[in-house]
């Protein structure tokens, strides 16, 4: 078991392609949280509604960056929209991405128009930026507010299938490759969507709690509790689906299982079996389960939920790694495995991945300077968001 | 709100116009690709030119080459692509194989090679033909353009049914003295048909030589191949030529020019081949009279 | 010269068809490279490839020729030769001469069965790489050759992932997808692909499936062959004669 086709010694899809579905997953997940508020009237989520929408937006802005870093000819990136080959799952990317970006931008515009107008008064850079965003129209009354609200609701609804499409298509892209036994399953589409929602909720909890801690805000406890339950529910679905996929291959004991068993046993034992399932799924499952079923004291509950959310962020990253890289470790000769670990300073290395993943948080900070993402907290002088 | 929609609409329209302008010429003419790419793919100049081009200058070598064991080997298989060499009017740009290694690329004994293919380990081969100096190159005996001095063109050689021998299937070179296990299909060894020749063979000086060492066999299909009987004196001399790098005893060395002069003194026909006088040392030639000799 | 060769082959074929029961390939026809046969004909050629694994000696002249003909960088391969060694206990060991000169080193150990298998792009009729290329840079010519448009490829690597045979790679110099072209630049000049041209054993054969008299067509009628991974529905156009079941 050591023969690899000679062209497979180097892994083609690097850590950048691990990062891409990870980031789009955060987009889809965060957007769905905001839509839970805007469309499904889950009012307990109001505290993070804006924050989640803005998070979805900034992550969406950076989603193509790892792809551009990975392309051999990035200057030709727009070929994907100029001469799209619609027999390819990948050709949909340009249009799905652009369409979704337009929806998210419009949604932000309508949801936050009121705040933009408030910030556009007076002079200074922020006011000037807000005036440009509003295209000079600062008029607002009850009728415009109602229209904005209606529009935001419509876009939030439209955005849900588009978010699923944007992210699910990545799953489909992997799941539809018949050449690769580790990828080739129709479940991939669904797995990616649910793991996306998990990562989206997790990143909101993770980030919200850090921001609150840094600013000394009191957390909106009902909101956190609601997010906790959503996270628990979605992670159970996501992990079940991930297990279902591998269990069904294992149980069928087809020819490809021989090589996939070796992959799981030898190559992916640590990142897949130990880390993805035993550590980063099982522990958050219990932490979130306890918090969903029992009422613990806020301090302890929040610590547990934050830990679980952070762990699930890692879990989803591990899952992306194990899918994207794991699938490429198996030689199509079915007789051996190659190896891959990114270098730190390469063009497609760890440092670049960290930079790409950190940038959205910086942009989000800038976004918050223009329009406050936690308006209720700020309005009350940083005391509390209680009593919504 | 209107301004906002107009702006977004404008961006989309501009993007669509730019996009339509950027579709490459000839895209979609033959399918979902740039039709011009097909012509572009043909534009490269070939670098391997073929033996006919080589023969334009090296007609002497080409003439030798086509009638010997390497007849099917392209010049460029050993000498590398010839385009640079031709462009430089024959000044350089070509590989001149040196030493044993280039020969062993094909002829090194390997279990994975078809057993009908000529292959050796230098040690065994040198022991077999009595070469004492391991540094001697293959070309000391074999001219790569005429490696075996075959006395007739491969193409005109006799057709012969395929000979199945143990190692044709058992590529692990199992000891050929092993008895055929019960139930094993029949194997056509040479003695199956040619028992009268092979009978006394073991007692003669060439007993260690395999039939196919001299009767070269080229497999051509699942059913048949070409059988050659090589009796050019130079073929015998491949083993028997006296040379400073080989021992005299095994196989006995012959000082060819001197031997030839002796024969001339004895007024023996110089067109005679070795086997005409020495056939008692090889095997009886009674089944068929040797070509060209009327006994 | 090409004309003579064709004529001779036709005559021989006629002879064979006229009732000679002997299923033998005249050597003269085997040395001929195929492309010129169809260049003169009115019909469109449809190129395909055959590998006779029982003939390959693993000299890797094909790999060196391919590298020299197409400037293939070190570490990536448009074609390669696999060596299979199946032990007495059934254990299968496979390796490839990937070194600079592409030369197999002899290895010890007893084997029950051993053989070489040349591999290259299968130029599938329903190629997955064409299907998945998002920008129309992968395409198939009407004579059946799968190519990459080097002015269109964005280097995303999706085709590399999609090819079940490991035939595609990202060229480390051009950063674009690259693969065997059947030496497309040689075909219309009447030359066979470089690997076929330099194979000293005619283990590699190239020809026109549209021409029922082409060497390849005749061969495929007469001998049994296997395709690689036919269950994937790619309809590969490399026909493997005498291929062992261990090869995938």
């Amino acid at each position: 078991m050591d023969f690899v086709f000679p062209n497979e010694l180097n892994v083609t899809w690097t850590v950048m392609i691990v990062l891409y579905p990870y980031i789009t997953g955060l987009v889809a997940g965060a957007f769905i949280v905001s839509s839970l508020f805007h469309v499904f009237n889950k009012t307990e989520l109001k505290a993070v509604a804006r924050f989640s929408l803005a998070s979805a937006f900034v992550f969406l802005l950076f989603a193509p960056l790892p792809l551009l870093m990975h392309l051999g000819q990035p200057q030709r990136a727009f070929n994907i929209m100029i001469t799209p080959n619609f027999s390819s799952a990948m050709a949909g990317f340009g249009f799905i991405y652009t369409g979704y970006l337009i929806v998210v931008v419009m949604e932000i515009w309508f949801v936050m128009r009121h705040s933009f107008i408030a910030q556009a008064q007076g002079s200074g850079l922020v006011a000037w930026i807000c005036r440009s965003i509003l295209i000079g129209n600062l008029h607002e009354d009850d009728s415009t507010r109602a229209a904005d609200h209606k529009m935001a609701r419509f876009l939030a609804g439209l955005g849900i299938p588009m978010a699923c499409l944007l992210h699910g298509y990545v799953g489909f892209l992997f799941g539809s490759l018949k050449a690769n036994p580790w990828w080739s399953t129709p479940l991939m589409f669904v797995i990616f969507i649910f793991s996306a929602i998990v990562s989206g909720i997790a990143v909101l909890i993770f980030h919200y709690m850090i921001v609150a801690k840094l600013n000394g805000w009191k957390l909106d406890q009902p909101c956190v509790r609601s997010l906790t339950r959503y996270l628990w529910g979605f992670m159970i679905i996501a992990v079940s689906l991930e297990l279902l996929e591998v269990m069904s291959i294992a149980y069928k004991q087809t020819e490809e299982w021989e090589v996939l068993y070796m992959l799981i046993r030898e190559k992916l034992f640590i990142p897949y079996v130990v880390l993805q399932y035993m550590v980063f799924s099982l522990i958050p499952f219990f932490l979130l389960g306890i918090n969903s079923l029992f009422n613990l004291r806020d301090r302890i509950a929040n610590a547990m939920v934050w830990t679980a959310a952070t762990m699930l962020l890692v879990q989803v990253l591990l899952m992306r790694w194990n899918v994207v890289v794991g699938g490429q470790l198996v030689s199509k000769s079915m007789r051996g495995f190659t190896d891959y670990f990114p270098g730190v300073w390469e063009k497609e290395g760890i440092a670049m991945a960290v930079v790409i993943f950190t940038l959205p948080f910086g942009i989000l900070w800038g976004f918050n300077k223009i329009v406050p993402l936690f308006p209720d907290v700020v309005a009350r002088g940083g005391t509390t968001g209680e009593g919504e | 709100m209107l301004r906002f929609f107009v702006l977004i609409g404008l961006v989309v329209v501009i993007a669509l116009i730019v996009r339509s302008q950027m579709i490459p010429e000839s895209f979609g003419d033959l399918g979902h690709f740039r039709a011009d790419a097909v012509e572009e793919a043909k534009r490269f100049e070939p670098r391997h030119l073929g033996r006919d081009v080589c023969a334009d200058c090296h007609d002497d070598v080409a003439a030798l080459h086509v009638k010997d064991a390497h007849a099917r080997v392209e010049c460029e298989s050993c000498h590398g692509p010839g385009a640079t060499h031709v462009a430089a009017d024959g000044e350089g740009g070509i590989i001149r194989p040196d030493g044993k290694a280039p020969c062993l690329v094909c002829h090194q004994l390997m279990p994975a090679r078809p057993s009908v293919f000529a292959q050796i380990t230098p040690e065994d081969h040198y022991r077999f033909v009595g070469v004492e100096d391991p540094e001697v190159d293959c070309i000391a005996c074999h001219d790569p353009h005429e490696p075996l001095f075959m006395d007739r063109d491969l193409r005109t050689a006799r057709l012969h049914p395929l000979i199945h021998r143990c190692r044709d299937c058992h590529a692990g070179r199992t000891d050929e003295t092993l008895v055929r296990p019960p139930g094993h299909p029949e194997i056509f060894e040479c003695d199956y048909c040619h028992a009268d020749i092979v009978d006394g063979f073991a007692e003669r000086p060439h007993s260690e030589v395999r039939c196919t060492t001299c009767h070269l066999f080229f497999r051509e299909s699942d059913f048949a191949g070409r059988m050659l009987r090589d009796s050019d004196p130079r073929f015998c001399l491949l083993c028997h030529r006296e040379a400073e790098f080989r021992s005299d005893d095994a196989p006995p060395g012959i000082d060819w020019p001197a031997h030839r002069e002796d024969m001339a003194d004895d007024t023996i026909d110089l067109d005679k081949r070795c086997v005409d006088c020495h056939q008692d040392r090889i095997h009886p030639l009674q089944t068929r009279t040797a070509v060209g000799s009327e006994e | 010269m090409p004309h003579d060769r064709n004529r001779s082959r036709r005559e021989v074929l006629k002879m064979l068809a006229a009732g000679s029961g002997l299923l033998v390939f005249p050597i003269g026809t085997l040395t001929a490279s195929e492309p010129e046969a169809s260049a003169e004909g009115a019909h469109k050629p449809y190129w395909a490839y055959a590998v006779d694994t029982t003939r390959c000696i693993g000299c890797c002249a094909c790999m060196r020729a391919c590298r020299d003909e197409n400037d293939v960088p070190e570490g990536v391969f448009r074609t390669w030769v696999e060596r299979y060694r199946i032990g007495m206990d059934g254990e299968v060991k496979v390796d490839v001469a990937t070194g600079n000169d592409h030369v197999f080193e002899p290895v010890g150990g007893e084997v029950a069965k051993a053989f070489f298998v040349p591999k290259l792009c299968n130029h599938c009729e329903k190629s997955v790489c064409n299907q998945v290329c998002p920008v129309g840079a992968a395409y198939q010519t009407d004579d059946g050759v799968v190519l990459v448009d080097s002015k269109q490829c964005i280097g995303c690597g999706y085709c590399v992932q999609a090819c079940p045979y490991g035939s595609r790679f990202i060229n480390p110099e051009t950063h674009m997808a690259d693969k065997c072209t059947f030496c497309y630049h040689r075909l219309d000049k009447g030359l066979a692909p470089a690997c076929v041209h330099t194979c000293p054993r005619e283990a590699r054969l190239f020809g026109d499936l549209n021409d029922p008299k082409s060497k390849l067509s005749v061969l495929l009628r007469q001998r049994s062959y296997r395709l690689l991974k036919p269950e994937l529905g790619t309809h590969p156009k490399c026909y493997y004669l005498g291929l062992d079941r261990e090869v995938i």
Side-chain angles (χ1 to χ4, degrees), chain A residues 312-325:
Chain A
L312 280 176
L313 271 182
V314 179
Q315 194 267 358
V316 176
L317 184 62
L318 280 166
M319 178 261 174
R320 307 285 191 246
W321 172 276
N322 290 328
V323 169
V324 175
V325 174

Side-chain angles (χ1 to χ4, degrees), chain B residues 24 27 30 32-34 37-52 71-74 76-77 80-81 95 105-114 116-117 154-155 159 169-174 218-224 226, chain C residues 1 5 22-28 30-31 54-59 61 64-65 68-71 83-84 88 103-106 111-112 114-116 135-136 138-141 147 149 151-152 184-186 188-189 191 194 197-202 223:
Chain B
F27 196 94
L30 298 173
H32 193 83
F33 61 97
R34 220 163 45 84
V38 182
E39 288 309 312
E40 286 164 21
K42 292 178 184 170
R43 249 176 237 161
F44 304 100
E45 281 305 312
R47 297 189 185 157
H48 291 81
L49 305 174
R51 68 176 84 202
D52 296 339
R72 303 187 201 173
V73 183
E74 275 284 340
E76 288 162 317
S77 300
I95 297 169
V105 164
C106 291
H107 293 290
Q108 168 74 45
L109 178 72
M110 281 188 206
R113 295 200 155 135
V116 291
F117 182 74
L154 185 58
R155 273 166 287 201
L159 280 168
C169 299
H170 302 281
R173 310 293 142 107
T174 43
F218 288 85
R219 182 179 169 147
E220 282 182 5
S221 72
D222 286 350
F223 310 100
R226 301 268 167 185
Chain C
M1 300 154 290
R5 240 183 250 161
L22 213 52
L23 294 175
V24 169
F25 292 102
I27 291 162
L30 281 174
T31 46
T54 64
R55 297 192 62 89
C56 180
I57 57 167
C59 66
R64 292 185 289 275
D68 294 341
E69 183 76 27
N70 300 300
D71 288 326
R83 171 167 63 181
Y84 284 72
M88 291 300 193
V103 175
F104 277 108
E105 295 298 326
V111 289
F115 48 89
F116 294 102
V135 296
Y139 62 98
Q140 186 156 22
T141 63
L147 297 173
D149 182 351
K151 289 184 180 165
Q152 193 70 13
Y184 202 62
H185 59 291
R186 296 172 64 87
D188 69 324
K189 299 173 182 77
L191 299 165
H197 173 77
T198 51
C199 178
R201 291 276 295 167
E202 279 127 18
R223 291 189 56 188

Side-chain angles (χ1 to χ4, degrees), chain C residues 167-228:
Chain C
S167 307
R168 280 178 171 253
F169 53 90
I170 295 292
N171 187 315
E173 283 164 12
T174 65
H175 306 291
M176 282 185 272
D178 204 340
K179 66 182 284 295
C180 160
T181 61
F182 272 169
C183 283
Y184 202 62
H185 59 291
R186 296 172 64 87
L187 301 187
D188 69 324
K189 299 173 182 77
L191 299 165
C195 51
V196 177
H197 173 77
T198 51
C199 178
R201 291 276 295 167
E202 279 127 18
R204 289 166 169 264
L205 304 154
F206 184 75
D208 177 8
L209 284 184
N210 274 355
D211 176 4
K213 290 177 184 168
S214 77
K215 175 177 66 188
L216 190 80
S217 302
V218 173
L219 196 70
L220 296 182
R221 284 201 295 274
Q222 288 181 342
R223 291 189 56 188
S224 38
Y225 56 82
R226 260 189 65 198
L227 301 172
L228 297 178

Side-chain angles (χ1 to χ4, degrees), chain B residues 169-191:
Chain B
C169 299
H170 302 281
R173 310 293 142 107
T174 43
D175 187 351
E176 292 197 18
T177 60
L178 279 174
V179 285
R180 186 159 58 89
H184 193 284
E186 198 74 44
I187 298 293
F188 286 93
E189 295 287 356
C190 300
D191 62 347

Side-chain angles (χ1 to χ4, degrees), chain C residues 97-153:
Chain C
T98 50
N100 206 10
D101 296 325
H102 312 316
V103 175
F104 277 108
E105 295 298 326
V107 279
E110 198 183 20
V111 289
K113 187 156 63 169
F115 48 89
F116 294 102
V117 182
K119 292 268 185 87
L120 67 158
C121 170
N122 284 278
H123 293 267
C124 307
E125 247 179 275
K126 294 188 175 173
S127 66
V128 207
C129 52
N130 282 358
Q131 187 203 339
V132 304
C133 176
V135 296
Y139 62 98
Q140 186 156 22
T141 63
D142 52 1
D143 43 4
V145 183
V146 177
L147 297 173
V148 181
D149 182 351
S150 58
K151 289 184 180 165
Q152 193 70 13
C153 177

Side-chain angles (χ1 to χ4, degrees), chain A residues 129-272:
Chain A
I129 291 174
C130 285
R131 276 200 295 277
S132 347
I133 292 171
L134 292 165
I135 331 168
N137 184 357
L138 301 182
H139 172 72
E140 192 183 32
D141 56 35
D142 283 347
S143 73
T144 63
R145 257 196 293 275
D148 288 349
H149 185 69
K150 220 167 140 185
M151 207 54 215
R153 198 183 157 95
F154 170 74
L155 288 166
L158 181 67
I160 295 174
M162 291 198 75
C164 288
L165 201 61
L166 174 73
H167 191 68
Y169 119 91
V170 186
F172 180 79
L173 198 147
F174 287 104
S176 59
L177 280 185
K178 57 189 170 193
N180 193 316
W182 187 234
W183 290 345
S184 174
T185 157
L187 271 181
M188 205 57 97
F189 183 96
V190 198
I191 292 176
F192 265 63
I193 289 178
F194 280 100
S195 63
I197 298 172
V198 169
S199 69
I201 302 173
V203 78
L204 290 177
I205 295 177
F206 165 83
H207 199 186
Y208 174 45
M209 286 191 172
I210 287 184
V211 170
K213 184 93 186 160
L214 289 177
N215 291 305
W217 302 336
K218 194 162 182 293
L219 286 168
D220 184 337
Q221 227 37 72
C223 173
V224 170
R225 227 167 285 138
S226 172
L227 284 174
T228 304
R229 281 195 297 273
Y230 279 121
L231 185 57
W232 194 50
F234 280 117
M235 84 152 281
I236 289 172
I237 301 175
V239 175
S240 305
L241 286 169
E242 285 161 25
L243 279 170
L244 173 63
E245 186 220 330
V246 69
M247 296 283 281
S248 67
I249 311 174
Y251 191 77
K252 282 191 272 184
Q253 295 274 324
T254 49
E255 201 175 9
E256 65 211 31
W257 173 244
E258 288 174 27
V259 71
L260 294 185
Y261 178 68
M262 293 294 285
L263 176 76
I264 295 168
R265 270 294 298 275
E266 309 283 332
K267 287 283 162 181
L268 291 184
F269 188 73
I270 299 292
Y272 186 68

